[in-house]
Amino acid sequence: MTQPQLDTFIAALEQGDRRRCFNLVREWEQQKLPSDVLYNDILIPALVHIGSSWEQNRQGIVEEHVATQIIKAIVAYKAANTETRETNGKSVMVGCVPDEQHDLASMLIANMLEENGWRVTHYGASVPQPDLVASAQRLQPDLLCLTMKSIGGLESTVQLLTELRSVLPDTKIMIGGTHMPSVRAILAEHVDAVADSFRDGVEKAESLTGG
Amino acid sequence: MPMEAVAAPLSFDAIGEKDLAAFHRQREKILTAFIDRIAVAPAFADVAADAEKTRIAQETGKIFIENFYATAKYRLPAAIVEYLDWLRGYLGSRSFPEDFIPGMFSAIRHATHAFLDDGSSDDIAAALRQLELREKGILQGDAA
């Protein structure tokens, strides 16, 4: 049943119609559409569609940003309004690798983990590496979940992962992002898991930290 | 020659760490040289005549230099090829001249020779030349 919903949502998104997008999400909530379905089968495919439209010059950069901001608002709304499962007693620190400005993926995985009972600390993007390491040392999370989109930041990412591994030997580290196939082998040397999708990330987060 | 160049597997193995570090240190100068080249080289005339294309070309040069450095450092030729496949589509949909990407490699290669005074530019230039020939081969239908 999600394809018609996805098509309707994309049509509103392409028009930059915030109210229509928000009303659709509330309508689906009333129909008890699970958050997992909203995230994985509507919002993420819609983002991929919008990204492709921009890449292929069918939509401009402003339209792409408008659509992204609408989805960010929905994800933030869901974070504040969705009931979470009973706590699983585990903590996770979620955010972007250094030099990565695209923080929507980290917002999404933060919501998904939180709704599955994790205690989430979401720092987003643009955090200086020394401050991030110091904060992680203070929080001692069970899991660090990092997102990465651009391969240009690979060196600083490897540096961060090496440092995190050295100061947090008991914390599991997971990374995910759109360039994972080509850089997977390098990153895999420095993390406990590479997530191939958001659903995969949620499953691996559980299995890495003892189910 | 293009056929052989396209057929040869792209490799960054010959590039020394010290030389690549020198490339990284000089990246701003190399980028500036490329940007300057856009404004004056006949090969980039179509791009230079369009303000939006010029902006995209400058941003593309910056991102390519970053990505080339990262993928060469970690010996990931497949990653740069994947990026170039994406870039070809992105620029193509914005009506960039087909020879823009090989032209960019040529300009960056020449700038690398000019600015790598603290290290050898030969192996980096060879990799850029291989990428340039690969792109030209794709334009000629030698590879997909």
Side-chain angles (χ1 to χ4, degrees):
Chain A
M1 283 297 288
T2 52
Q3 188 60 47
Q5 291 161 324
L6 173 61
D7 293 343
T8 304
F9 186 75
I10 285 175
L13 203 57
E14 285 183 329
Q15 292 168 6
D17 190 339
R18 281 166 57 94
R19 294 319 316 170
R20 173 81 174 127
C21 289
F22 298 161
N23 288 339
L24 282 169
V25 169
R26 276 203 293 269
E27 189 181 304
W28 295 330
E29 271 184 331
Q30 286 163 6
Q31 295 167 1
K32 307 293 183 197
L33 183 80
S35 290
D36 170 70
V37 175
L38 175 70
Y39 296 141
N40 288 288
D41 300 330
I42 297 178
L43 298 186
I44 293 167
L47 275 169
V48 171
H49 175 88
I50 293 295
S52 297
S53 294
W54 167 73
E55 286 171 17
Q56 294 162 22
N57 206 23
R58 286 184 276 113
Q59 278 204 311
I61 188 70
V62 174
E63 289 75 17
E64 192 262 349
H65 279 217
V66 167
T68 301
Q69 292 306 318
I70 290 171
I71 293 182
K72 278 188 174 183
I74 292 168
V75 176
Y77 161 79
K78 292 293 290 180
N81 291 283
T82 303
E83 285 191 22
T84 61
R85 281 187 203 165
E86 190 179 341
T87 177
N88 63 8
K90 292 182 283 193
S91 61
V92 58
M93 202 168 167
V94 181
C96 300
V97 300
D99 304 320
E100 180 60 72
Q101 304 302 318
H102 301 87
D103 64 350
L104 184 45
S106 72
M107 291 175 69
L108 280 159
I109 194 76
N111 275 25
M112 292 178 200
L113 291 171
E114 195 162 59
E115 288 174 25
N116 277 278
W118 289 77
R119 183 159 53 81
V120 173
T121 301
H122 178 232
Y123 65 83
S126 303
V127 173
Q129 182 171 326
D131 299 270
L132 175 54
V133 172
S135 182
Q137 278 186 285
R138 194 172 62 252
L139 289 170
Q140 294 283 322
D142 296 292
L143 176 69
L144 270 158
C145 178
L146 304 171
T147 63
M148 174 183 181
K149 188 168 189 290
S150 310
I151 54 175
L154 186 56
E155 183 180 33
S156 52
T157 298
V158 169
Q159 286 170 354
L160 171 66
L161 295 172
T162 304
E163 190 172 358
L164 287 170
R165 180 64 92 203
S166 125
V167 300
L168 291 166
D170 297 328
T171 294
K172 301 295 182 187
I173 304 177
M174 178 170 70
I175 194 164
T178 51
H179 278 290
M180 289 305 108
S182 52
V183 300
R184 186 187 186 101
I186 295 296
L187 293 172
E189 295 172 15
H190 301 276
V191 298
D192 297 289
V194 178
D196 295 316
S197 68
F198 287 92
R199 281 193 170 113
D200 185 49
V202 172
E203 287 175 13
K204 282 179 174 159
E206 296 290 341
S207 61
L208 278 175
T209 53
Chain B
M1 183 61 184
M3 266 310 266
E4 290 83 353
V6 172
L10 179 64
S11 170
F12 295 140
D13 291 350
I15 300 174
E17 278 188 34
K18 182 172 168 288
D19 298 336
L20 193 62
F23 176 86
H24 192 53
R25 277 195 302 276
Q26 298 291 68
R27 63 192 183 281
E28 294 293 339
K29 287 182 183 173
I30 292 168
L31 175 61
T32 300
F34 166 61
I35 290 171
D36 290 347
R37 194 83 188 131
I38 293 171
V40 298
F44 293 130
D46 285 354
V47 173
D50 183 316
E52 177 61 5
K53 282 199 177 100
T54 301
R55 186 191 67 76
I56 292 172
Q58 293 173 355
E59 187 69 10
T60 297
K62 180 175 185 291
I63 293 170
F64 172 75
I65 288 169
E66 288 171 359
N67 288 353
F68 176 78
Y69 169 74
T71 55
K73 181 175 177 67
Y74 294 101
R75 314 287 192 231
L76 296 170
I80 200 74
V81 165
E82 189 178 275
Y83 166 69
L84 292 173
D85 288 344
W86 177 88
L87 182 63
R88 214 174 295 116
Y90 173 80
L91 296 178
S93 68
R94 284 156 178 79
S95 305
F96 266 65
E98 284 190 327
D99 57 0
F100 172 78
I101 296 177
M104 174 175 72
F105 293 157
S106 175
I108 291 173
R109 179 164 55 86
H110 285 104
T112 300
H113 277 309
F115 291 113
L116 248 66
D117 42 14
D118 182 24
S120 169
S121 58
D122 290 348
D123 294 325
I124 294 172
L128 288 166
R129 177 69 173 152
Q130 200 178 0
L131 284 170
E132 181 183 338
L133 292 174
R134 184 179 181 280
E135 287 299 313
K136 286 181 175 173
I138 289 171
L139 289 179
Q140 292 164 11
D142 291 343

